[in-house]
């Protein structure tokens, strides 16, 4: 199938598909005319790519680990022992980022709370 049909079938824009190809994540067949031709295996590859992007991995990381990912009945499973450790490290980075965001939110809540209190007391500072 050509890129337009493939984009509709996968729910991914043509631009994103071209980007995946530039990053080495997809390697569609090329006709002599230059048109890309995708097959059913590419549909599964895009599904894996989207899941891994949704898990917070970037395209460079995905390119590295894609050969170690097995799709078993719709579930992605790591097939290389070193991949599990890399995924744990990624999860730790995400946990750290969540902690930082929670701290930032708490700081904003404090500022918002002070603003509300000042308005209710009528002592709001001039803007």
């Amino acid at each position: 199938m050509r890129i337009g049909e493939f984009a509709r079938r996968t729910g991914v824009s043509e631009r994103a598909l071209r980007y995946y190809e530039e990053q080495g994540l997809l390697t569609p067949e090329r006709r002599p005319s230059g048109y890309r031709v995708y097959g059913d295996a590419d549909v599964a590859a895009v599904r894996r790519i989207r899941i891994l992007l949704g898990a917070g991995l970037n395209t460079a990381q995905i390119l590295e680990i894609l050969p170690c990912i097995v799709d078993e009945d719709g579930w992605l499973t790591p097939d290389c022992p070193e991949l599990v450790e890399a995924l744990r490290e990624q999860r730790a980075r995400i946990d750290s980022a969540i902690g930082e965001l929670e701290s930032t939110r708490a700081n904003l809540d404090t500022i918002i709370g002070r603003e509300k209190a000042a308005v209710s007391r009528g002592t709001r500072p001039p803007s």
Side-chain angles (χ1 to χ4, degrees), residues 15 21 25 30-31 34 44-45 59 72 93-94 100 103 112 116-117:
R15 182 177 179 188
E21 183 180 358
L25 300 174
R30 289 285 189 147
R31 299 281 183 199
T59 56
E72 296 177 342
R93 283 190 291 273
I94 290 170
E100 291 173 18
S103 176
I112 291 167
K116 284 182 181 178

mmCIF file of all heavy atoms in Angstrom, residues 15 21 25 30-31 34 44-45 59 72 93-94 100 103 112 116-117:
data_model
loop_
_atom_site.group_PDB
_atom_site.id
_atom_site.type_symbol
_atom_site.label_atom_id
_atom_site.label_comp_id
_atom_site.label_asym_id
_atom_site.label_seq_id
_atom_site.Cartn_x
_atom_site.Cartn_y
_atom_site.Cartn_z
ATOM 1 N N ARG A 15 3.485 12.738 7.276
ATOM 2 C CA ARG A 15 4.696 13.433 7.742
ATOM 3 C C ARG A 15 5.414 12.608 8.807
ATOM 4 O O ARG A 15 6.635 12.458 8.773
ATOM 5 C CB ARG A 15 4.314 14.806 8.284
ATOM 6 C CG ARG A 15 5.477 15.617 8.738
ATOM 7 C CD ARG A 15 5.045 16.982 9.184
ATOM 8 N NE ARG A 15 6.217 17.728 9.641
ATOM 9 C CZ ARG A 15 6.152 18.874 10.230
ATOM 10 N NH1 ARG A 15 4.981 19.445 10.455
ATOM 11 N NH2 ARG A 15 7.238 19.485 10.624
ATOM 12 N N GLU A 21 10.832 7.022 8.837
ATOM 13 C CA GLU A 21 11.760 6.482 7.838
ATOM 14 C C GLU A 21 13.109 7.190 7.932
ATOM 15 O O GLU A 21 14.159 6.546 7.916
ATOM 16 C CB GLU A 21 11.170 6.625 6.432
ATOM 17 C CG GLU A 21 12.059 6.020 5.366
ATOM 18 C CD GLU A 21 11.497 6.157 3.962
ATOM 19 O OE1 GLU A 21 10.381 6.698 3.784
ATOM 20 O OE2 GLU A 21 12.195 5.709 3.033
ATOM 21 N N LEU A 25 13.459 3.974 11.553
ATOM 22 C CA LEU A 25 12.492 3.116 12.237
ATOM 23 C C LEU A 25 11.643 2.307 11.261
ATOM 24 O O LEU A 25 11.148 1.243 11.615
ATOM 25 C CB LEU A 25 11.583 3.965 13.139
ATOM 26 C CG LEU A 25 12.296 4.745 14.241
ATOM 27 C CD1 LEU A 25 11.314 5.650 14.964
ATOM 28 C CD2 LEU A 25 12.991 3.803 15.202
ATOM 29 N N ARG A 30 10.754 0.612 -1.980
ATOM 30 C CA ARG A 30 10.650 1.746 -2.902
ATOM 31 C C ARG A 30 10.453 1.231 -4.323
ATOM 32 O O ARG A 30 11.158 0.344 -4.778
ATOM 33 C CB ARG A 30 11.918 2.603 -2.871
ATOM 34 C CG ARG A 30 12.115 3.410 -1.612
ATOM 35 C CD ARG A 30 11.190 4.591 -1.607
ATOM 36 N NE ARG A 30 11.525 5.473 -0.503
ATOM 37 C CZ ARG A 30 11.401 6.769 -0.554
ATOM 38 N NH1 ARG A 30 10.961 7.361 -1.638
ATOM 39 N NH2 ARG A 30 11.689 7.490 0.496
ATOM 40 N N ARG A 31 9.472 1.765 -5.000
ATOM 41 C CA ARG A 31 9.237 1.454 -6.413
ATOM 42 C C ARG A 31 10.264 2.223 -7.246
ATOM 43 O O ARG A 31 10.832 3.207 -6.776
ATOM 44 C CB ARG A 31 7.822 1.883 -6.829
ATOM 45 C CG ARG A 31 6.728 1.190 -6.063
ATOM 46 C CD ARG A 31 6.510 -0.175 -6.613
ATOM 47 N NE ARG A 31 5.400 -0.800 -5.888
ATOM 48 C CZ ARG A 31 5.184 -2.061 -5.870
ATOM 49 N NH1 ARG A 31 5.965 -2.868 -6.544
ATOM 50 N NH2 ARG A 31 4.175 -2.553 -5.191
ATOM 51 N N GLY A 34 9.982 5.799 -7.105
ATOM 52 C CA GLY A 34 10.303 6.491 -5.855
ATOM 53 C C GLY A 34 9.203 6.387 -4.821
ATOM 54 O O GLY A 34 9.402 6.751 -3.659
ATOM 55 N N ALA A 44 2.463 -3.352 11.801
ATOM 56 C CA ALA A 44 2.851 -3.813 13.140
ATOM 57 C C ALA A 44 4.013 -2.988 13.678
ATOM 58 O O ALA A 44 4.054 -2.661 14.872
ATOM 59 C CB ALA A 44 3.213 -5.296 13.095
ATOM 60 N N ALA A 45 4.957 -2.632 12.809
ATOM 61 C CA ALA A 45 6.101 -1.826 13.244
ATOM 62 C C ALA A 45 5.649 -0.453 13.733
ATOM 63 O O ALA A 45 6.121 0.039 14.770
ATOM 64 C CB ALA A 45 7.114 -1.692 12.107
ATOM 65 N N THR A 59 13.030 8.608 19.489
ATOM 66 C CA THR A 59 13.228 7.769 18.309
ATOM 67 C C THR A 59 14.602 7.107 18.295
ATOM 68 O O THR A 59 14.731 5.982 17.807
ATOM 69 C CB THR A 59 13.001 8.559 17.011
ATOM 70 O OG1 THR A 59 13.853 9.714 16.996
ATOM 71 C CG2 THR A 59 11.552 8.970 16.854
ATOM 72 N N GLU A 72 3.840 -10.056 21.220
ATOM 73 C CA GLU A 72 3.151 -11.308 21.511
ATOM 74 C C GLU A 72 1.683 -11.045 21.797
ATOM 75 O O GLU A 72 1.348 -10.493 22.839
ATOM 76 C CB GLU A 72 3.794 -12.006 22.721
ATOM 77 C CG GLU A 72 5.226 -12.429 22.482
ATOM 78 C CD GLU A 72 5.856 -13.055 23.715
ATOM 79 O OE1 GLU A 72 5.339 -12.863 24.840
ATOM 80 O OE2 GLU A 72 6.892 -13.726 23.550
ATOM 81 N N ARG A 93 13.980 7.764 35.188
ATOM 82 C CA ARG A 93 14.021 9.161 34.726
ATOM 83 C C ARG A 93 12.622 9.766 34.733
ATOM 84 O O ARG A 93 12.430 10.924 35.121
ATOM 85 C CB ARG A 93 14.632 9.228 33.327
ATOM 86 C CG ARG A 93 16.140 9.088 33.306
ATOM 87 C CD ARG A 93 16.725 9.408 31.933
ATOM 88 N NE ARG A 93 16.375 8.409 30.929
ATOM 89 C CZ ARG A 93 17.056 7.291 30.705
ATOM 90 N NH1 ARG A 93 18.127 7.019 31.408
ATOM 91 N NH2 ARG A 93 16.672 6.449 29.765
ATOM 92 N N ILE A 94 11.645 8.991 34.327
ATOM 93 C CA ILE A 94 10.263 9.477 34.324
ATOM 94 C C ILE A 94 9.797 9.731 35.757
ATOM 95 O O ILE A 94 9.174 10.758 36.047
ATOM 96 C CB ILE A 94 9.333 8.484 33.591
ATOM 97 C CG1 ILE A 94 9.640 8.498 32.096
ATOM 98 C CG2 ILE A 94 7.863 8.806 33.847
ATOM 99 C CD1 ILE A 94 8.966 7.391 31.317
ATOM 100 N N GLU A 100 9.705 16.125 40.179
ATOM 101 C CA GLU A 100 9.973 17.548 39.945
ATOM 102 C C GLU A 100 8.690 18.290 39.583
ATOM 103 O O GLU A 100 8.454 19.406 40.055
ATOM 104 C CB GLU A 100 11.011 17.709 38.846
ATOM 105 C CG GLU A 100 12.402 17.253 39.255
ATOM 106 C CD GLU A 100 13.392 17.268 38.105
ATOM 107 O OE1 GLU A 100 13.131 17.924 37.081
ATOM 108 O OE2 GLU A 100 14.436 16.603 38.242
ATOM 109 N N SER A 103 6.541 18.822 42.662
ATOM 110 C CA SER A 103 7.098 19.909 43.471
ATOM 111 C C SER A 103 6.742 21.266 42.868
ATOM 112 O O SER A 103 6.346 22.195 43.576
ATOM 113 C CB SER A 103 8.616 19.749 43.560
ATOM 114 O OG SER A 103 9.193 20.823 44.251
ATOM 115 N N ILE A 112 -0.874 30.315 44.411
ATOM 116 C CA ILE A 112 -2.302 30.527 44.135
ATOM 117 C C ILE A 112 -3.064 30.682 45.439
ATOM 118 O O ILE A 112 -3.931 31.555 45.564
ATOM 119 C CB ILE A 112 -2.866 29.364 43.287
ATOM 120 C CG1 ILE A 112 -2.273 29.415 41.874
ATOM 121 C CG2 ILE A 112 -4.391 29.406 43.241
ATOM 122 C CD1 ILE A 112 -2.501 28.159 41.057
ATOM 123 N N LYS A 116 -5.320 33.883 46.562
ATOM 124 C CA LYS A 116 -6.721 33.781 46.978
ATOM 125 C C LYS A 116 -6.925 34.403 48.348
ATOM 126 O O LYS A 116 -7.888 35.121 48.584
ATOM 127 C CB LYS A 116 -7.172 32.312 47.005
ATOM 128 C CG LYS A 116 -7.435 31.707 45.665
ATOM 129 C CD LYS A 116 -7.909 30.276 45.851
ATOM 130 C CE LYS A 116 -8.179 29.595 44.539
ATOM 131 N NZ LYS A 116 -8.584 28.195 44.735
ATOM 132 N N ALA A 117 -6.000 34.105 49.258
ATOM 133 C CA ALA A 117 -6.112 34.640 50.619
ATOM 134 C C ALA A 117 -6.009 36.163 50.612
ATOM 135 O O ALA A 117 -6.755 36.851 51.314
ATOM 136 C CB ALA A 117 -5.031 34.035 51.513
#
